[in-house]
Amino acid sequence: MGKYFGTDGFRGEANVVLTVEHAYKVGRFLGWYFGKDKEGDCKVVIGKDTRRSSYMFEYALAAGITASGADAYLLHVTTTPSVSYVVRTEDFDCGIMISASHNPYYDNGIKLINAKGEKMDEETILKVEDYIDDKVEIPFAMKDKIGRTVDYAAGRNRYIGFLISLATRSYKNMRVGLDCANGSAWMLAKSVFDALGAKTYVINAEPDGLNINMNAGSTHIEVLQAFAKEHDLDVAFAFDGDADRCIAIDDEGNVVNGDLILYVCGKYLKNIGQLANNTVVTTVMSNFGLYKAFDKEGIAYEKTAVGDKYVYENMVMNGYRLGGEQSGHIIFSKYANTGDGVLTAIKLMEVILETKQPLSKLVAPVRIYPQVLKNIRVKSKPAAQNDPDVQAAVQSAADALGQSGRILVRESGTEPVIRVMVEAETQGECESYVDSVIQVIKDKGHCMED
């Protein structure tokens, strides 16, 4: 990770950590860097979520891009995967998504996407950071070389058409719920499911710039869970702020997280002969129960560091077609180069309709082990993580759990947070070991003041 950009972009509180000046400089550098050796016009496409600050950053990025002589194409409010799709299918030099994903409205972020629709490589990101820190000088465009902005809502509409084309059957008579998190999917998701014939029930699709992710979406799945039960829905899907995640609710009102989605889709793809190399890519956060279920089905798996970036890199390196995270970032590499919440919902609908089985039955073979994950805000992630007493507490918990569980302590890639996760036979054991480590972090003075 660089100085400004973490595992999922440059993220932080708007005009505190991430400022307009930062956004302008990012635009300036990208417009110059991708256009300096190009004979034709350099084109950069920009999408944004529904945060109030996203408009401010959109204009700052566009000003920087055009000042460097490139053209800025504006998708307006759209999803991160739609930016990835448009970049790779419509000959753009790079793409930018303005979003802090599942973070609260006052945060925002800048995600950089290369010409293949993938997350930008570290080498280029480090060059962007050097320019932000005034280590590099670049020229302004002059006269007729100054760039322009282009309204490009048509690109978003083509992405919607692409999603609709992936469905294998009509959704007629299916009662489907959608929680759009008052974010990027607020119009897009309903358009897709309505077009496919579903009886669509939508919540949290009234963004006001301040309510994105607020008691809504995949990080507050209990809201959709209650809604699905109340309306007796066949299935329901919750997205996050930029709609690159999907968590489902089955026909019995139970939560179907990313691990269970990987199981359902992995088993289905294996059965129809389309699971490349018979392998699913997971992260170290995936549940014991998922691996036991895969073992029973004869499905191999790989484990990466946490982050859909690492999942995707593993998939590309080994030719795998399915991978993802427990949090709902699911990648179907045949169709996309990033996690895509709406696409994931469509692929789950395919399994339900083609197998003629409800989602509750499809996930039934998986026994999920109790798992507790708690976050603690710290002054310094490395200091807390490397403290000898903290490490001793972690080792003590690991020794006590033995082969019947595990403990994982890691730094967030996007927030000043240490995440402590324990998986064990009982919920009580999980809580006890997590709390024991967090208490040491607190006792050693690593916690950030409230």
Side-chain angles (χ1 to χ4, degrees):
M1 291 185 290
K3 178 179 177 181
Y4 301 104
F5 285 81
T7 55
D8 202 19
F10 186 166
R11 190 182 300 189
E13 186 171 348
N15 277 346
V16 177
V17 176
L18 173 61
T19 68
V20 169
E21 287 80 5
H22 289 136
Y24 173 72
K25 283 192 166 184
V26 170
R28 277 277 285 138
F29 185 82
L30 294 178
W32 169 79
Y33 183 74
F34 286 101
K36 61 185 174 65
D37 299 321
K38 190 172 183 182
E39 293 183 7
D41 292 335
C42 175
K43 302 191 303 178
V44 181
V45 65
I46 304 174
K48 66 175 182 283
D49 69 17
T50 58
R51 294 163 213 270
R52 180 173 291 182
S53 62
S54 291
Y55 295 83
M56 172 180 75
F57 288 125
E58 177 185 48
Y59 297 141
L61 284 161
I65 289 165
T66 54
S68 289
D71 293 338
Y73 285 69
L74 307 182
L75 290 172
H76 306 291
V77 173
T78 193
T79 67
T80 293
S82 75
V83 177
S84 171
Y85 173 81
V86 169
V87 170
R88 69 182 174 85
T89 60
E90 301 192 29
D91 196 32
F92 282 93
D93 294 283
C94 67
I96 304 172
M97 179 64 186
I98 305 162
S99 177
S101 190
H102 58 282
N103 287 31
Y105 82 89
Y106 48 78
D107 286 347
N108 216 325
I110 294 175
K111 302 182 181 185
L112 304 184
I113 298 169
N114 69 19
K116 296 180 180 179
E118 305 164 335
K119 291 188 176 182
M120 194 74 75
D121 63 278
E122 291 295 327
E123 182 181 355
T124 303
I125 285 174
L126 290 175
K127 291 178 180 178
V128 174
E129 293 191 342
D130 282 346
Y131 180 66
I132 291 174
D133 284 337
D134 298 320
K135 295 179 181 178
V136 180
E137 290 188 9
I138 60 176
F140 282 100
M142 300 293 184
K143 298 180 179 176
D144 64 335
K145 300 300 183 183
I146 293 172
R148 63 196 175 116
T149 59
V150 180
D151 184 297
Y152 206 59
R156 184 183 64 228
N157 294 336
R158 276 191 280 276
Y159 168 72
I160 292 173
F162 163 71
L163 290 176
I164 292 170
S165 74
L166 297 180
T168 58
R169 291 177 181 265
S170 167
Y171 296 171
K172 185 178 180 182
N173 299 322
M174 290 291 290
R175 297 165 59 84
V176 180
L178 303 173
D179 183 342
C180 297
N182 292 311
S184 292
W186 77 284
M187 287 192 298
L188 187 150
K190 187 177 190 306
S191 298
V192 170
F193 278 81
D194 283 351
L196 291 169
K199 175 64 175 174
T200 312
Y201 296 74
V202 183
I203 60 172
N204 298 314
E206 298 180 355
D208 61 11
L210 307 178
N211 62 358
I212 187 171
N213 299 316
M214 186 179 293
N215 296 316
S218 60
T219 52
H220 295 277
I221 192 64
E222 68 281 356
V223 177
L224 182 61
Q225 187 175 28
F227 181 82
K229 290 177 180 178
E230 178 185 352
H231 293 275
D232 192 27
L233 301 182
D234 295 312
V235 66
F237 304 103
F239 311 110
D240 63 339
D242 64 336
D244 61 356
R245 296 188 190 191
C246 175
I247 299 292
I249 302 295
D250 70 19
D251 51 294
E252 295 182 354
N254 298 311
V255 176
V256 177
N257 67 11
D259 282 349
L260 292 171
I261 292 170
L262 288 174
Y263 172 77
V264 169
C265 293
K267 180 179 177 180
Y268 172 72
L269 290 174
K270 178 181 172 67
N271 288 343
I272 64 173
Q274 293 184 16
L275 184 62
N277 298 320
N278 192 43
T279 301
V280 177
V281 182
T282 70
T283 77
V284 294
M285 289 294 290
S286 283
N287 195 276
F288 273 0
L290 174 64
Y291 300 124
K292 289 182 178 294
F294 277 156
D295 288 340
K296 187 174 181 180
E297 294 295 332
I299 295 173
Y301 44 83
E302 300 245 358
K303 299 180 184 180
T304 75
V306 175
D308 59 325
K309 170 184 177 180
Y310 303 115
V311 172
Y312 179 72
E313 287 174 353
N314 184 290
M315 293 173 71
V316 171
M317 186 181 304
N318 297 292
Y320 302 137
R321 287 291 181 86
L322 176 64
E325 298 186 281
Q326 189 181 77
S327 61
H329 283 122
I330 309 297
I331 301 172
F332 295 87
S333 64
K334 182 178 179 179
Y335 308 103
N337 294 342
T338 185
D340 188 329
V342 182
L343 190 155
T344 298
I346 290 170
K347 300 309 288 183
L348 269 178
M349 290 294 293
E350 176 181 334
V351 183
I352 292 167
L353 293 169
E354 294 293 347
T355 63
K356 298 181 174 60
Q357 294 185 60
L359 188 53
S360 60
K361 187 171 181 180
L362 292 168
V363 302
V366 186
R367 181 216 164 186
I368 294 297
Y369 280 61
Q371 188 182 78
V372 170
L373 171 65
K374 293 185 181 181
N375 300 327
I376 183 165
R377 295 176 69 83
V378 294
K379 300 169 188 173
S380 167
K381 292 183 285 189
Q385 181 91 317
N386 297 323
D387 186 302
D389 291 334
V390 173
Q391 291 183 337
V394 173
Q395 187 59 52
S396 176
D399 292 342
L401 287 164
Q403 297 299 310
S404 63
R406 61 174 178 146
I407 181 168
L408 179 65
V409 179
R410 68 177 186 89
E411 300 175 17
S412 167
T414 57
E415 301 173 89
V417 161
I418 293 290
R419 308 192 195 282
V420 183
M421 187 277 285
V422 170
E423 212 166 60
E425 292 284 348
T426 68
Q427 185 79 9
E429 286 180 282
C430 294
E431 294 279 356
S432 175
Y433 290 120
V434 167
D435 290 344
S436 68
V437 172
I438 287 178
Q439 190 59 53
V440 175
I441 295 173
K442 289 179 178 178
D443 290 345
K444 292 302 295 290
H446 295 295
C447 290
M448 192 179 291
E449 295 294 331
D450 292 333

